[in-house]
Amino acid sequence: MLLAERAGLDLNQVIEMVAPGAGGSRMFQMRAPMMAKRSYEPATMRISTWRKDMAIIAEFASELGCETRAVHDDATRSTLEAMAMGLGNQDTAAVFEVLKANGI
């Protein structure tokens, strides 16, 4: 969505075209409209809850000697930044705001 926005595309048209196709997913269908509207409520998965769940998964994976750093490091950084921005109770789609704020 950020790529589409930076390219000057209409985000609603992007959603309309991508969501039903091979590039779409259930998460895209749920969260892309929130990103387009920049409205992250009602939250179907709060950033704070997702962060807690990821910490539990990371601890479990570590106990098993399973490397999850590639996913975990980026997710942890983004969710911690979102929480620092006061977005902890917002839907995980609000990580879009972190990406925008970081100029990514």
Side-chain angles (χ1 to χ4, degrees), residues 80-91:
L80 288 175
E81 288 182 44
M83 290 173 68
M85 291 171 66
L87 302 171
N89 287 325
Q90 303 291 306
D91 191 88

Side-chain angles (χ1 to χ4, degrees), residues 39-68:
S39 176
Y40 307 107
E41 292 181 345
T44 59
M45 171 58 89
R46 288 186 182 98
I47 288 174
S48 58
T49 302
W50 193 85
R51 171 71 192 106
K52 173 198 58 85
D53 292 350
M54 288 302 291
I56 292 168
I57 293 166
E59 182 179 345
F60 177 65
S62 177
E63 290 171 4
L64 297 175
C66 182
E67 182 65 53
T68 61

Side-chain angles (χ1 to χ4, degrees), residues 12 14 18-19 23 28 33 37-38 41 45 50 54 59 67 70 74 82-84 86 92 94 102-103:
N12 292 312
V14 170
V18 173
F28 183 86
K37 293 176 191 170
R38 297 186 78 173
E41 292 181 345
M45 171 58 89
W50 193 85
M54 288 302 291
E59 182 179 345
E67 182 65 53
D74 286 342
M83 290 173 68
T92 55
N102 289 336

Side-chain angles (χ1 to χ4, degrees), residues 16-26 28-29:
E16 185 179 319
M17 299 302 294
V18 173
S25 69
R26 181 67 182 132
F28 183 86
Q29 292 170 354

